[in-house]
Amino acid sequence: MPKDVFDLPAPSANSIVGHLFELGQDPLGFLTRCRDYGDIVPLQLGLTSSCLLTNPEYIEEVLKNRNDFIKSRGLRALKSLLGEGLLSAEGESWFWQRRLAQPVFHQKRINVYSEIMVEYTNRMVQTWHDGETHDIHEDMMRLTLLIVMKCIFSADVDAGEAKVVANALDVAMQWFESKRRQNFLVWEWFPRPENIRYRDAIAEMNEAIYKLIQERRNSGEKTNDLLTMLMEAKDEETLQQMDDKLLRDEVATLMLAGHETTANTLSWTWMLLAQNPEVREKLESELNQVLQGKLPTLEDLGKLVYTQQIIKESMRLYPPVPLMGREAAVDTQIGDYEIPQGMAIMISQWVMHRHPKYFNNPEVFQPERWTQEFEKQLPKGVYIPFGDGPRICIGKGFAQMEAALLLATIAQRFQIDLVPGYPIVPQPSITLRPVNGLKVQIKQMPIKTQVQ
């Protein structure tokens, strides 16, 4: 006989808004405290019944079952930005798109973008000077956007179009955060200032994307970029291809997921390295030994073991996506518990990645923990920076390669220190970004000569 999830222990709630106030004020802290209540923690968010999962087996159960557990109402609210792209599509539509796009993101195909990643990063650091103060988050956002647009569209997208896209994505993040605080109870079409800004930004972004798609169709040019591969992708059974609307949706999704998450990962990595000089010294030692002053290549990644451990540990402490939401599409079960249709399911990477049951000294930045043996014994559903199950992030390989190459390119040339006293506040929205940016001072490293 299934058990009632609402009989489980839970934090005390306000009789009118439930747990909405605590979640809105301090989502990461509140959800971390909820972990102490058990494997499933029932919560009431206004009129919405919800629960937080802290048992990795339950998390895997939900992530594997894409039919019973669909994307959350919050993410569905972003359809005006992402349309029916892979992040927001459901059911057969999602399955068809995923099957079509999967070969595009095969590791062998995306490996060709490693040179673009290093070239653009090197171009950026050539403009840096010793002693300058930077907002490193802003730098990483600009760099990763230029890289992903180059990988999608092949040609260097002009500064105006890049600015339009960057503005639209930034406005979308701010809009999503304001809606989250209101539990998505304020309709998007309502003529509030933030809604108008959001719609205007999307209209400008759409114009830029459709223009680039049309130019490609008119030119008939065959390139090795993501747009060409998506345009040429064909269903083997029906021979159906993506139309311009679906291409636009996939491009918008790639631009959001393909630059925001990597930029945030790198921003938090620079912060953690500045706070842990012994780790930074060990990184510099590896870079000197492996690269010997030259720019990193795809072939170097296998030898940059510690560099990649740093990225994994950074994504553990500051996961690119701190909270995933699902909704029960039907009456169903998780473990032995009844889950009614419409119930919101919360899975928090922030909570699981810092769980003392699975990580020794969970609050400590310790890249050395990421040995092959450690990863093998870690239960599925604990470390999920890219999600899991059939909807695991299709760009996982791209993001991991990009983060490691960018880190190696910059760290062998510059030491990045935090500006003392500058407030660093993580903002858990769609992604985890520093709300005030990240002010740093850059210090040029002595140039190492390449060993012939």
mmCIF file of all heavy atoms in Angstrom, residues 307-354:
data_model
loop_
_atom_site.group_PDB
_atom_site.id
_atom_site.type_symbol
_atom_site.label_atom_id
_atom_site.label_comp_id
_atom_site.label_asym_id
_atom_site.label_seq_id
_atom_site.Cartn_x
_atom_site.Cartn_y
_atom_site.Cartn_z
ATOM 1 N N THR A 307 43.621 19.983 -13.699
ATOM 2 C CA THR A 307 42.794 21.062 -14.273
ATOM 3 C C THR A 307 41.342 20.608 -14.348
ATOM 4 O O THR A 307 40.421 21.350 -13.964
ATOM 5 C CB THR A 307 43.310 21.424 -15.687
ATOM 6 O OG1 THR A 307 44.696 21.770 -15.601
ATOM 7 C CG2 THR A 307 42.528 22.572 -16.284
ATOM 8 N N GLN A 308 41.135 19.380 -14.815
ATOM 9 C CA GLN A 308 39.770 18.876 -14.946
ATOM 10 C C GLN A 308 39.158 18.523 -13.590
ATOM 11 O O GLN A 308 37.948 18.662 -13.393
ATOM 12 C CB GLN A 308 39.757 17.684 -15.900
ATOM 13 C CG GLN A 308 40.209 18.094 -17.300
ATOM 14 C CD GLN A 308 39.889 17.072 -18.359
ATOM 15 O OE1 GLN A 308 38.739 16.836 -18.688
ATOM 16 N NE2 GLN A 308 40.923 16.441 -18.906
ATOM 17 N N GLN A 309 39.995 18.110 -12.646
ATOM 18 C CA GLN A 309 39.482 17.871 -11.285
ATOM 19 C C GLN A 309 38.994 19.185 -10.657
ATOM 20 O O GLN A 309 37.999 19.195 -9.919
ATOM 21 C CB GLN A 309 40.581 17.248 -10.415
ATOM 22 C CG GLN A 309 40.886 15.793 -10.750
ATOM 23 C CD GLN A 309 42.048 15.245 -9.938
ATOM 24 O OE1 GLN A 309 43.021 15.952 -9.660
ATOM 25 N NE2 GLN A 309 41.957 13.979 -9.540
ATOM 26 N N ILE A 310 39.695 20.261 -10.941
ATOM 27 C CA ILE A 310 39.292 21.583 -10.422
ATOM 28 C C ILE A 310 37.913 21.953 -10.950
ATOM 29 O O ILE A 310 37.053 22.435 -10.201
ATOM 30 C CB ILE A 310 40.348 22.649 -10.790
ATOM 31 C CG1 ILE A 310 41.587 22.493 -9.907
ATOM 32 C CG2 ILE A 310 39.771 24.069 -10.669
ATOM 33 C CD1 ILE A 310 42.764 23.352 -10.323
ATOM 34 N N ILE A 311 37.680 21.726 -12.247
ATOM 35 C CA ILE A 311 36.375 22.040 -12.840
ATOM 36 C C ILE A 311 35.276 21.191 -12.190
ATOM 37 O O ILE A 311 34.210 21.703 -11.836
ATOM 38 C CB ILE A 311 36.398 21.814 -14.368
ATOM 39 C CG1 ILE A 311 37.374 22.792 -15.058
ATOM 40 C CG2 ILE A 311 34.988 21.954 -14.955
ATOM 41 C CD1 ILE A 311 36.986 24.257 -14.964
ATOM 42 N N LYS A 312 35.529 19.910 -12.000
ATOM 43 C CA LYS A 312 34.536 19.030 -11.364
ATOM 44 C C LYS A 312 34.206 19.494 -9.946
ATOM 45 O O LYS A 312 33.042 19.502 -9.534
ATOM 46 C CB LYS A 312 35.050 17.583 -11.320
ATOM 47 C CG LYS A 312 34.963 16.874 -12.649
ATOM 48 C CD LYS A 312 35.501 15.457 -12.545
ATOM 49 C CE LYS A 312 35.474 14.788 -13.906
ATOM 50 N NZ LYS A 312 36.133 13.481 -13.905
ATOM 51 N N GLU A 313 35.241 19.864 -9.204
ATOM 52 C CA GLU A 313 35.029 20.284 -7.817
ATOM 53 C C GLU A 313 34.339 21.638 -7.754
ATOM 54 O O GLU A 313 33.503 21.886 -6.871
ATOM 55 C CB GLU A 313 36.376 20.315 -7.086
ATOM 56 C CG GLU A 313 36.311 20.735 -5.623
ATOM 57 C CD GLU A 313 35.674 19.712 -4.695
ATOM 58 O OE1 GLU A 313 35.004 18.763 -5.178
ATOM 59 O OE2 GLU A 313 35.827 19.862 -3.466
ATOM 60 N N SER A 314 34.649 22.511 -8.696
ATOM 61 C CA SER A 314 33.976 23.805 -8.760
ATOM 62 C C SER A 314 32.485 23.610 -9.049
ATOM 63 O O SER A 314 31.630 24.251 -8.434
ATOM 64 C CB SER A 314 34.619 24.676 -9.856
ATOM 65 O OG SER A 314 33.910 25.882 -10.008
ATOM 66 N N MET A 315 32.168 22.691 -9.961
ATOM 67 C CA MET A 315 30.760 22.413 -10.285
ATOM 68 C C MET A 315 30.054 21.669 -9.159
ATOM 69 O O MET A 315 28.838 21.658 -9.088
ATOM 70 C CB MET A 315 30.654 21.619 -11.591
ATOM 71 C CG MET A 315 30.951 22.445 -12.819
ATOM 72 S SD MET A 315 30.415 21.662 -14.367
ATOM 73 C CE MET A 315 31.501 20.259 -14.408
ATOM 74 N N ARG A 316 30.834 21.038 -8.290
ATOM 75 C CA ARG A 316 30.213 20.423 -7.109
ATOM 76 C C ARG A 316 29.764 21.502 -6.134
ATOM 77 O O ARG A 316 28.609 21.529 -5.700
ATOM 78 C CB ARG A 316 31.201 19.469 -6.420
ATOM 79 C CG ARG A 316 30.596 18.752 -5.201
ATOM 80 C CD ARG A 316 31.624 17.922 -4.463
ATOM 81 N NE ARG A 316 32.581 18.728 -3.702
ATOM 82 C CZ ARG A 316 32.343 19.263 -2.503
ATOM 83 N NH1 ARG A 316 31.160 19.115 -1.921
ATOM 84 N NH2 ARG A 316 33.283 19.956 -1.883
ATOM 85 N N LEU A 317 30.681 22.413 -5.788
ATOM 86 C CA LEU A 317 30.357 23.449 -4.799
ATOM 87 C C LEU A 317 29.420 24.518 -5.354
ATOM 88 O O LEU A 317 28.572 25.050 -4.635
ATOM 89 C CB LEU A 317 31.652 24.098 -4.298
ATOM 90 C CG LEU A 317 32.447 23.295 -3.274
ATOM 91 C CD1 LEU A 317 33.810 23.911 -3.055
ATOM 92 C CD2 LEU A 317 31.692 23.168 -1.959
ATOM 93 N N TYR A 318 29.595 24.845 -6.632
ATOM 94 C CA TYR A 318 28.758 25.877 -7.271
ATOM 95 C C TYR A 318 28.201 25.316 -8.570
ATOM 96 O O TYR A 318 28.651 25.664 -9.658
ATOM 97 C CB TYR A 318 29.576 27.156 -7.513
ATOM 98 C CG TYR A 318 29.935 27.851 -6.221
ATOM 99 C CD1 TYR A 318 31.102 27.512 -5.531
ATOM 100 C CD2 TYR A 318 29.084 28.803 -5.657
ATOM 101 C CE1 TYR A 318 31.418 28.118 -4.318
ATOM 102 C CE2 TYR A 318 29.398 29.406 -4.450
ATOM 103 C CZ TYR A 318 30.558 29.064 -3.788
ATOM 104 O OH TYR A 318 30.864 29.663 -2.584
ATOM 105 N N PRO A 319 27.202 24.418 -8.466
ATOM 106 C CA PRO A 319 26.669 23.771 -9.673
ATOM 107 C C PRO A 319 26.077 24.805 -10.632
ATOM 108 O O PRO A 319 25.402 25.743 -10.193
ATOM 109 C CB PRO A 319 25.584 22.835 -9.119
ATOM 110 C CG PRO A 319 25.277 23.341 -7.747
ATOM 111 C CD PRO A 319 26.517 23.991 -7.237
ATOM 112 N N PRO A 320 26.326 24.652 -11.945
ATOM 113 C CA PRO A 320 25.810 25.620 -12.919
ATOM 114 C C PRO A 320 24.298 25.810 -12.804
ATOM 115 O O PRO A 320 23.790 26.908 -12.947
ATOM 116 C CB PRO A 320 26.173 24.995 -14.272
ATOM 117 C CG PRO A 320 27.275 24.034 -13.989
ATOM 118 C CD PRO A 320 27.095 23.574 -12.574
ATOM 119 N N VAL A 321 23.587 24.707 -12.550
ATOM 120 C CA VAL A 321 22.141 24.758 -12.288
ATOM 121 C C VAL A 321 21.947 24.257 -10.857
ATOM 122 O O VAL A 321 22.199 23.088 -10.569
ATOM 123 C CB VAL A 321 21.361 23.878 -13.293
ATOM 124 C CG1 VAL A 321 19.876 23.868 -12.969
ATOM 125 C CG2 VAL A 321 21.604 24.351 -14.727
ATOM 126 N N PRO A 322 21.525 25.126 -9.934
ATOM 127 C CA PRO A 322 21.476 24.715 -8.526
ATOM 128 C C PRO A 322 20.207 23.965 -8.132
ATOM 129 O O PRO A 322 20.149 23.332 -7.087
ATOM 130 C CB PRO A 322 21.540 26.053 -7.780
ATOM 131 C CG PRO A 322 20.886 27.029 -8.721
ATOM 132 C CD PRO A 322 21.206 26.551 -10.101
ATOM 133 N N LEU A 323 19.173 24.052 -8.995
ATOM 134 C CA LEU A 323 17.871 23.477 -8.642
ATOM 135 C C LEU A 323 17.125 23.087 -9.914
ATOM 136 O O LEU A 323 17.005 23.892 -10.835
ATOM 137 C CB LEU A 323 17.042 24.501 -7.857
ATOM 138 C CG LEU A 323 15.631 24.100 -7.426
ATOM 139 C CD1 LEU A 323 15.676 22.966 -6.407
ATOM 140 C CD2 LEU A 323 14.894 25.307 -6.833
ATOM 141 N N MET A 324 16.674 21.834 -9.970
ATOM 142 C CA MET A 324 15.864 21.371 -11.098
ATOM 143 C C MET A 324 14.451 21.113 -10.609
ATOM 144 O O MET A 324 14.254 20.608 -9.496
ATOM 145 C CB MET A 324 16.409 20.056 -11.660
ATOM 146 C CG MET A 324 17.661 20.180 -12.479
ATOM 147 S SD MET A 324 18.039 18.604 -13.286
ATOM 148 C CE MET A 324 18.497 17.597 -11.870
ATOM 149 N N GLY A 325 13.498 21.425 -11.459
ATOM 150 C CA GLY A 325 12.106 21.173 -11.101
ATOM 151 C C GLY A 325 11.447 20.207 -12.066
ATOM 152 O O GLY A 325 11.731 20.210 -13.266
ATOM 153 N N ARG A 326 10.607 19.354 -11.529
ATOM 154 C CA ARG A 326 9.747 18.486 -12.341
ATOM 155 C C ARG A 326 8.330 18.597 -11.801
ATOM 156 O O ARG A 326 8.103 19.076 -10.687
ATOM 157 C CB ARG A 326 10.211 17.026 -12.267
ATOM 158 C CG ARG A 326 11.565 16.733 -12.922
ATOM 159 C CD ARG A 326 11.499 16.862 -14.422
ATOM 160 N NE ARG A 326 12.732 16.416 -15.070
ATOM 161 C CZ ARG A 326 13.736 17.213 -15.381
ATOM 162 N NH1 ARG A 326 13.664 18.507 -15.061
ATOM 163 N NH2 ARG A 326 14.801 16.750 -16.005
ATOM 164 N N GLU A 327 7.386 18.134 -12.590
ATOM 165 C CA GLU A 327 5.989 18.129 -12.152
ATOM 166 C C GLU A 327 5.393 16.777 -12.494
ATOM 167 O O GLU A 327 5.634 16.246 -13.589
ATOM 168 C CB GLU A 327 5.215 19.236 -12.876
ATOM 169 C CG GLU A 327 3.776 19.381 -12.417
ATOM 170 C CD GLU A 327 3.050 20.482 -13.190
ATOM 171 O OE1 GLU A 327 3.462 21.646 -13.093
ATOM 172 O OE2 GLU A 327 2.080 20.152 -13.897
ATOM 173 N N ALA A 328 4.636 16.213 -11.572
ATOM 174 C CA ALA A 328 3.999 14.918 -11.830
ATOM 175 C C ALA A 328 2.893 15.113 -12.870
ATOM 176 O O ALA A 328 1.927 15.833 -12.627
ATOM 177 C CB ALA A 328 3.431 14.349 -10.540
ATOM 178 N N ALA A 329 3.051 14.473 -14.043
ATOM 179 C CA ALA A 329 2.065 14.624 -15.122
ATOM 180 C C ALA A 329 0.843 13.754 -14.869
ATOM 181 O O ALA A 329 -0.235 13.996 -15.424
ATOM 182 C CB ALA A 329 2.698 14.261 -16.455
ATOM 183 N N VAL A 330 1.004 12.727 -14.017
ATOM 184 C CA VAL A 330 -0.085 11.793 -13.667
ATOM 185 C C VAL A 330 0.055 11.440 -12.193
ATOM 186 O O VAL A 330 1.084 11.721 -11.570
ATOM 187 C CB VAL A 330 0.003 10.497 -14.522
ATOM 188 C CG1 VAL A 330 -0.276 10.776 -15.990
ATOM 189 C CG2 VAL A 330 1.371 9.829 -14.360
ATOM 190 N N ASP A 331 -0.964 10.809 -11.640
ATOM 191 C CA ASP A 331 -0.806 10.235 -10.299
ATOM 192 C C ASP A 331 0.233 9.117 -10.397
ATOM 193 O O ASP A 331 0.123 8.225 -11.251
ATOM 194 C CB ASP A 331 -2.139 9.632 -9.808
ATOM 195 C CG ASP A 331 -3.167 10.704 -9.472
ATOM 196 O OD1 ASP A 331 -2.750 11.860 -9.243
ATOM 197 O OD2 ASP A 331 -4.371 10.402 -9.473
ATOM 198 N N THR A 332 1.246 9.161 -9.545
ATOM 199 C CA THR A 332 2.349 8.210 -9.688
ATOM 200 C C THR A 332 2.975 7.931 -8.323
ATOM 201 O O THR A 332 2.388 8.286 -7.287
ATOM 202 C CB THR A 332 3.393 8.763 -10.698
ATOM 203 O OG1 THR A 332 4.424 7.797 -10.891
ATOM 204 C CG2 THR A 332 4.016 10.073 -10.233
ATOM 205 N N GLN A 333 4.128 7.308 -8.304
ATOM 206 C CA GLN A 333 4.824 6.999 -7.059
ATOM 207 C C GLN A 333 6.303 7.346 -7.174
ATOM 208 O O GLN A 333 6.870 7.301 -8.253
ATOM 209 C CB GLN A 333 4.724 5.495 -6.741
ATOM 210 C CG GLN A 333 3.443 5.085 -6.053
ATOM 211 C CD GLN A 333 3.466 3.619 -5.670
ATOM 212 O OE1 GLN A 333 2.533 2.900 -5.987
ATOM 213 N NE2 GLN A 333 4.504 3.169 -4.996
ATOM 214 N N ILE A 334 6.894 7.706 -6.026
ATOM 215 C CA ILE A 334 8.354 7.779 -5.902
ATOM 216 C C ILE A 334 8.686 6.885 -4.714
ATOM 217 O O ILE A 334 8.241 7.151 -3.586
ATOM 218 C CB ILE A 334 8.848 9.214 -5.648
ATOM 219 C CG1 ILE A 334 8.510 10.131 -6.830
ATOM 220 C CG2 ILE A 334 10.355 9.218 -5.393
ATOM 221 C CD1 ILE A 334 8.862 11.595 -6.609
ATOM 222 N N GLY A 335 9.464 5.831 -4.969
ATOM 223 C CA GLY A 335 9.696 4.855 -3.898
ATOM 224 C C GLY A 335 8.356 4.272 -3.472
ATOM 225 O O GLY A 335 7.564 3.816 -4.297
ATOM 226 N N ASP A 336 8.100 4.341 -2.165
ATOM 227 C CA ASP A 336 6.836 3.796 -1.631
ATOM 228 C C ASP A 336 5.773 4.872 -1.457
ATOM 229 O O ASP A 336 4.736 4.619 -0.833
ATOM 230 C CB ASP A 336 7.084 3.139 -0.259
ATOM 231 C CG ASP A 336 8.017 1.939 -0.364
ATOM 232 O OD1 ASP A 336 7.994 1.271 -1.415
ATOM 233 O OD2 ASP A 336 8.778 1.694 0.589
ATOM 234 N N TYR A 337 6.042 6.069 -1.973
ATOM 235 C CA TYR A 337 5.156 7.193 -1.667
ATOM 236 C C TYR A 337 4.301 7.618 -2.856
ATOM 237 O O TYR A 337 4.774 7.672 -3.998
ATOM 238 C CB TYR A 337 5.983 8.384 -1.156
ATOM 239 C CG TYR A 337 6.679 8.065 0.142
ATOM 240 C CD1 TYR A 337 7.985 7.572 0.155
ATOM 241 C CD2 TYR A 337 6.013 8.202 1.358
ATOM 242 C CE1 TYR A 337 8.613 7.249 1.349
ATOM 243 C CE2 TYR A 337 6.633 7.874 2.554
ATOM 244 C CZ TYR A 337 7.928 7.402 2.545
ATOM 245 O OH TYR A 337 8.544 7.069 3.739
ATOM 246 N N GLU A 338 3.051 7.912 -2.557
ATOM 247 C CA GLU A 338 2.111 8.390 -3.572
ATOM 248 C C GLU A 338 2.423 9.833 -3.934
ATOM 249 O O GLU A 338 2.604 10.685 -3.052
ATOM 250 C CB GLU A 338 0.683 8.341 -3.004
ATOM 251 C CG GLU A 338 -0.123 7.169 -3.483
ATOM 252 C CD GLU A 338 -1.558 7.252 -2.975
ATOM 253 O OE1 GLU A 338 -1.723 7.219 -1.729
ATOM 254 O OE2 GLU A 338 -2.454 7.376 -3.799
ATOM 255 N N ILE A 339 2.476 10.114 -5.224
ATOM 256 C CA ILE A 339 2.712 11.475 -5.711
ATOM 257 C C ILE A 339 1.522 11.864 -6.581
ATOM 258 O O ILE A 339 1.306 11.289 -7.651
ATOM 259 C CB ILE A 339 4.024 11.564 -6.529
ATOM 260 C CG1 ILE A 339 5.227 11.119 -5.693
ATOM 261 C CG2 ILE A 339 4.219 12.976 -7.086
ATOM 262 C CD1 ILE A 339 5.553 12.011 -4.508
ATOM 263 N N PRO A 340 0.697 12.827 -6.122
ATOM 264 C CA PRO A 340 -0.482 13.194 -6.911
ATOM 265 C C PRO A 340 -0.113 13.998 -8.162
ATOM 266 O O PRO A 340 0.903 14.694 -8.199
ATOM 267 C CB PRO A 340 -1.292 14.059 -5.935
ATOM 268 C CG PRO A 340 -0.294 14.603 -4.974
ATOM 269 C CD PRO A 340 0.796 13.577 -4.861
ATOM 270 N N GLN A 341 -0.941 13.902 -9.178
ATOM 271 C CA GLN A 341 -0.756 14.684 -10.404
ATOM 272 C C GLN A 341 -0.678 16.174 -10.065
ATOM 273 O O GLN A 341 -1.435 16.676 -9.235
ATOM 274 C CB GLN A 341 -1.920 14.436 -11.356
ATOM 275 C CG GLN A 341 -1.803 15.198 -12.666
ATOM 276 C CD GLN A 341 -2.997 14.950 -13.572
ATOM 277 O OE1 GLN A 341 -3.938 14.258 -13.197
ATOM 278 N NE2 GLN A 341 -2.964 15.504 -14.765
ATOM 279 N N GLY A 342 0.253 16.868 -10.695
ATOM 280 C CA GLY A 342 0.401 18.314 -10.480
ATOM 281 C C GLY A 342 1.379 18.678 -9.381
ATOM 282 O O GLY A 342 1.735 19.847 -9.220
ATOM 283 N N MET A 343 1.843 17.684 -8.605
ATOM 284 C CA MET A 343 2.782 17.989 -7.524
ATOM 285 C C MET A 343 4.132 18.414 -8.116
ATOM 286 O O MET A 343 4.632 17.812 -9.064
ATOM 287 C CB MET A 343 2.978 16.778 -6.617
ATOM 288 C CG MET A 343 3.796 17.093 -5.367
ATOM 289 S SD MET A 343 3.853 15.697 -4.240
ATOM 290 C CE MET A 343 4.184 16.512 -2.683
ATOM 291 N N ALA A 344 4.714 19.470 -7.561
ATOM 292 C CA ALA A 344 6.027 19.943 -8.010
ATOM 293 C C ALA A 344 7.120 19.177 -7.280
ATOM 294 O O ALA A 344 7.071 19.023 -6.062
ATOM 295 C CB ALA A 344 6.156 21.440 -7.738
ATOM 296 N N ILE A 345 8.091 18.672 -8.037
ATOM 297 C CA ILE A 345 9.207 17.911 -7.476
ATOM 298 C C ILE A 345 10.464 18.765 -7.582
ATOM 299 O O ILE A 345 10.802 19.251 -8.666
ATOM 300 C CB ILE A 345 9.447 16.593 -8.256
ATOM 301 C CG1 ILE A 345 8.128 15.846 -8.523
ATOM 302 C CG2 ILE A 345 10.470 15.720 -7.544
ATOM 303 C CD1 ILE A 345 7.424 15.341 -7.316
ATOM 304 N N MET A 346 11.162 18.949 -6.470
ATOM 305 C CA MET A 346 12.405 19.720 -6.484
ATOM 306 C C MET A 346 13.601 18.798 -6.263
ATOM 307 O O MET A 346 13.592 17.958 -5.359
ATOM 308 C CB MET A 346 12.376 20.816 -5.413
ATOM 309 C CG MET A 346 11.434 21.954 -5.755
ATOM 310 S SD MET A 346 11.679 23.380 -4.668
ATOM 311 C CE MET A 346 10.872 22.802 -3.196
ATOM 312 N N ILE A 347 14.607 18.983 -7.121
ATOM 313 C CA ILE A 347 15.880 18.269 -7.008
ATOM 314 C C ILE A 347 16.953 19.349 -6.989
ATOM 315 O O ILE A 347 17.059 20.133 -7.933
ATOM 316 C CB ILE A 347 16.096 17.318 -8.204
ATOM 317 C CG1 ILE A 347 15.013 16.234 -8.230
ATOM 318 C CG2 ILE A 347 17.491 16.704 -8.169
ATOM 319 C CD1 ILE A 347 14.933 15.471 -9.538
ATOM 320 N N SER A 348 17.722 19.412 -5.916
ATOM 321 C CA SER A 348 18.709 20.486 -5.793
ATOM 322 C C SER A 348 20.132 19.946 -5.870
ATOM 323 O O SER A 348 20.587 19.220 -4.982
ATOM 324 C CB SER A 348 18.529 21.243 -4.472
ATOM 325 O OG SER A 348 19.593 22.160 -4.303
ATOM 326 N N GLN A 349 20.823 20.317 -6.959
ATOM 327 C CA GLN A 349 22.237 19.968 -7.070
ATOM 328 C C GLN A 349 23.033 20.592 -5.932
ATOM 329 O O GLN A 349 23.961 19.979 -5.408
ATOM 330 C CB GLN A 349 22.796 20.442 -8.422
ATOM 331 C CG GLN A 349 22.257 19.680 -9.622
ATOM 332 C CD GLN A 349 21.050 20.334 -10.245
ATOM 333 O OE1 GLN A 349 20.184 20.882 -9.550
ATOM 334 N NE2 GLN A 349 20.966 20.287 -11.560
ATOM 335 N N TRP A 350 22.681 21.807 -5.557
ATOM 336 C CA TRP A 350 23.378 22.486 -4.453
ATOM 337 C C TRP A 350 23.319 21.634 -3.179
ATOM 338 O O TRP A 350 24.322 21.438 -2.483
ATOM 339 C CB TRP A 350 22.754 23.856 -4.208
ATOM 340 C CG TRP A 350 23.341 24.612 -3.053
ATOM 341 C CD1 TRP A 350 23.026 24.474 -1.733
ATOM 342 C CD2 TRP A 350 24.363 25.622 -3.104
ATOM 343 N NE1 TRP A 350 23.775 25.324 -0.952
ATOM 344 C CE2 TRP A 350 24.606 26.045 -1.775
ATOM 345 C CE3 TRP A 350 25.086 26.218 -4.134
ATOM 346 C CZ2 TRP A 350 25.529 27.025 -1.450
ATOM 347 C CZ3 TRP A 350 26.022 27.199 -3.818
ATOM 348 C CH2 TRP A 350 26.235 27.600 -2.490
ATOM 349 N N VAL A 351 22.131 21.111 -2.888
ATOM 350 C CA VAL A 351 21.921 20.316 -1.676
ATOM 351 C C VAL A 351 22.665 18.977 -1.762
ATOM 352 O O VAL A 351 23.376 18.576 -0.833
ATOM 353 C CB VAL A 351 20.417 20.081 -1.441
ATOM 354 C CG1 VAL A 351 20.179 19.064 -0.323
ATOM 355 C CG2 VAL A 351 19.716 21.399 -1.114
ATOM 356 N N MET A 352 22.519 18.299 -2.901
ATOM 357 C CA MET A 352 23.117 16.960 -3.029
ATOM 358 C C MET A 352 24.643 17.036 -3.127
ATOM 359 O O MET A 352 25.349 16.187 -2.562
ATOM 360 C CB MET A 352 22.543 16.243 -4.256
ATOM 361 C CG MET A 352 21.062 15.950 -4.164
ATOM 362 S SD MET A 352 20.575 15.043 -2.657
ATOM 363 C CE MET A 352 21.410 13.480 -2.907
ATOM 364 N N HIS A 353 25.160 18.037 -3.831
ATOM 365 C CA HIS A 353 26.610 18.149 -4.023
ATOM 366 C C HIS A 353 27.350 18.480 -2.729
ATOM 367 O O HIS A 353 28.568 18.314 -2.654
ATOM 368 C CB HIS A 353 26.925 19.233 -5.054
ATOM 369 C CG HIS A 353 26.545 18.865 -6.452
ATOM 370 N ND1 HIS A 353 26.919 19.614 -7.547
ATOM 371 C CD2 HIS A 353 25.839 17.819 -6.941
ATOM 372 C CE1 HIS A 353 26.446 19.051 -8.646
ATOM 373 N NE2 HIS A 353 25.788 17.964 -8.302
ATOM 374 N N ARG A 354 26.612 18.974 -1.732
ATOM 375 C CA ARG A 354 27.234 19.318 -0.446
ATOM 376 C C ARG A 354 26.745 18.388 0.671
ATOM 377 O O ARG A 354 26.804 18.736 1.843
ATOM 378 C CB ARG A 354 26.913 20.779 -0.096
ATOM 379 C CG ARG A 354 27.575 21.793 -1.042
ATOM 380 C CD ARG A 354 27.014 23.191 -0.866
ATOM 381 N NE ARG A 354 27.704 24.172 -1.700
ATOM 382 C CZ ARG A 354 28.483 25.154 -1.254
ATOM 383 N NH1 ARG A 354 28.668 25.301 0.045
ATOM 384 N NH2 ARG A 354 29.060 25.996 -2.083
#
